[in-house]
Amino acid sequence: MDFRLTEEQQAIRDAATKLCAKYDDDYWFDRDHDGKFPKEFVNDFASAGWLGIAMPEEYGGTGLGVIEASILMQAVAESSGTQTACALVHLNIFGPNPIVVFGTDEQKSRMLPPLIKGEDRTCFGVTEPDTGLDTTRLKTRADWNGSEYVVNGRKIWTSGAQTANKILLIARTTPLEETEKPLDGLSLFYTDLDKSAVEITEIEKMGRKAADSNMLFIDGLKVPKENLIGEEGKGFRYLLHGLNPERVLTAVEAIGIGRRALSRAVEYAKERVVFGRPIGQNQAIQHPLAQCWAELEAANLMAFKAASLYDAGEPCGGEANAAKILSSEAGFRACERAVLTHGGMGYAKEYHVERYFREIMISRIAPVSREMVLNYISERVLGLAKSY
């Protein structure tokens, strides 16, 4: 068992780190205040070909696995942009996976190359205000009128909708009461985000100001039949196929943010002198930082174990979910400790660690809560009775 990166993997990490270094703390400090879309960063990322790292080569991608995508996104998370930088490109890395796996050859040829080149930007319309994680109870409808689907409903926490021109959208095509199982009757579409039929309202939030999150009110959005992914009524199952890679990417990003925060804390502990000695000489400072390092490294092993299992075609639900909860908690503790190590200055924006602390919170909440992760492990790994 070799935990070292290959030369190719190390090259991915080095190249991503070099690209991200162009956008320093001051750049992201400004975006955190003005909320402007960081198009320069996104364009550079797309031009480097990173948006297609996990997409098939025949459509312009690199054809690599979740391991390589994780190495890439962890490098982004360790940069000055942390969670915001990740959020700007995260969806493009593995979000189109249902198209790759379940789309027709025509759909893949039409839909994937513009995404990989950065010519199209997509958002993900899944969560709804009244259903939360109970995705099988989604109320957004896609009704067939004889020539096309017509979508009506609401979506919430749709990231990137302000600048997106496409949407990966799940909607109910068969009423819940007419299905044998709640999983049935939901269909997946990849289509134009026609803003004449979709009202987009940005949600003000505690972090990631430059990576918008939105409420969508969909009123008569027309979707051609050719934009239905796979079979009608099986869309939820298609989404499930991509959940484990999403868990892994969320995990490695949380670790990257934690590492960024820890490095800033260590740097400050070496430089800050109180009572005639660096504060990092005191065990009350040293030990919590050392504990954070150990927790981050342990979580990282679980995350890459899950990625390795996925790339090998092995079951990895338990490992992917464990990686998500371990990494988000370890990242949170590292960011909290970075603020505390800075003392009063940890509360000051000029030292940046307060931004890391605000942004790491999303890793604990999304794409699934800690409690639901523990429910999954309890039921699927330990074999305990379902509790909800």
Side-chain angles (χ1 to χ4, degrees), residues 271-292:
E271 296 175 352
R272 175 64 168 159
V273 176
V274 179
F275 300 120
R277 56 192 275 163
I279 63 172
Q281 193 173 342
N282 302 318
Q283 290 182 345
I285 297 294
Q286 289 182 355
H287 288 181
L289 295 176
Q291 182 71 28
C292 287

Side-chain angles (χ1 to χ4, degrees), residues 142-154:
D143 297 308
W144 179 253
N145 67 4
S147 59
E148 60 194 354
Y149 291 95
V150 181
V151 182
N152 292 280
R154 296 184 298 167

Side-chain angles (χ1 to χ4, degrees), residues 32-109:
D32 187 51
H33 284 73
D34 61 29
K36 291 181 180 178
F37 179 69
K39 60 182 180 180
E40 306 90 354
F41 171 77
V42 174
N43 289 342
D44 277 355
F45 204 84
S47 296
W50 296 128
L51 294 179
I53 190 169
M55 296 294 105
E57 292 183 81
E58 59 263 40
Y59 303 110
T62 310
L64 299 175
V66 176
I67 291 176
E68 287 75 21
S70 296
I71 292 167
L72 172 70
M73 293 308 296
Q74 190 168 80
V76 175
E78 288 183 34
S79 75
S80 298
T82 60
Q83 177 63 246
T84 297
C86 290
L88 294 167
V89 295
H90 175 106
L91 181 58
N92 276 65
I93 298 298
F94 222 85
N97 191 53
I99 302 172
V100 174
V101 178
F102 302 104
T104 65
D105 290 340
E106 185 279 329
Q107 286 176 328
K108 286 183 274 192
S109 297

Side-chain angles (χ1 to χ4, degrees), residues 145-222:
N145 67 4
S147 59
E148 60 194 354
Y149 291 95
V150 181
V151 182
N152 292 280
R154 296 184 298 167
K155 298 292 180 181
I156 197 171
W157 295 115
T158 302
S159 296
Q162 295 289 332
T163 56
N165 64 316
K166 299 287 184 178
I167 184 169
L168 190 63
L169 174 70
I170 190 165
R172 184 160 286 285
T173 46
T174 302
L176 180 61
E177 60 272 14
E178 297 178 15
T179 60
E180 291 185 11
K181 299 178 180 179
L183 292 178
D184 298 333
L186 291 164
S187 299
L188 189 65
F189 305 90
Y190 179 78
T191 194
D192 291 336
L193 182 60
D194 180 0
K195 295 181 181 178
S196 68
V198 183
E199 180 184 341
I200 303 171
T201 303
E202 187 169 357
I203 300 169
E204 292 290 338
K205 54 194 187 301
M206 69 184 293
R208 292 187 355 181
K209 187 171 183 178
D212 56 277
S213 298
N214 305 274
M215 171 78 83
L216 271 56
F217 297 89
I218 306 171
D219 183 12
L221 177 65
K222 297 178 180 179

Side-chain angles (χ1 to χ4, degrees), residues 80-140:
S80 298
T82 60
Q83 177 63 246
T84 297
C86 290
L88 294 167
V89 295
H90 175 106
L91 181 58
N92 276 65
I93 298 298
F94 222 85
N97 191 53
I99 302 172
V100 174
V101 178
F102 302 104
T104 65
D105 290 340
E106 185 279 329
Q107 286 176 328
K108 286 183 274 192
S109 297
R110 172 165 53 92
M111 297 172 177
L112 294 179
L115 277 173
I116 293 168
K117 295 175 184 176
E119 297 168 353
D120 283 345
R121 283 189 55 78
T122 190
C123 58
F124 209 0
V126 178
T127 307
E128 294 183 4
D130 299 327
T131 56
L133 291 171
D134 192 3
T135 309
T136 60
R137 306 287 173 177
L138 294 178
K139 297 177 181 178
T140 297

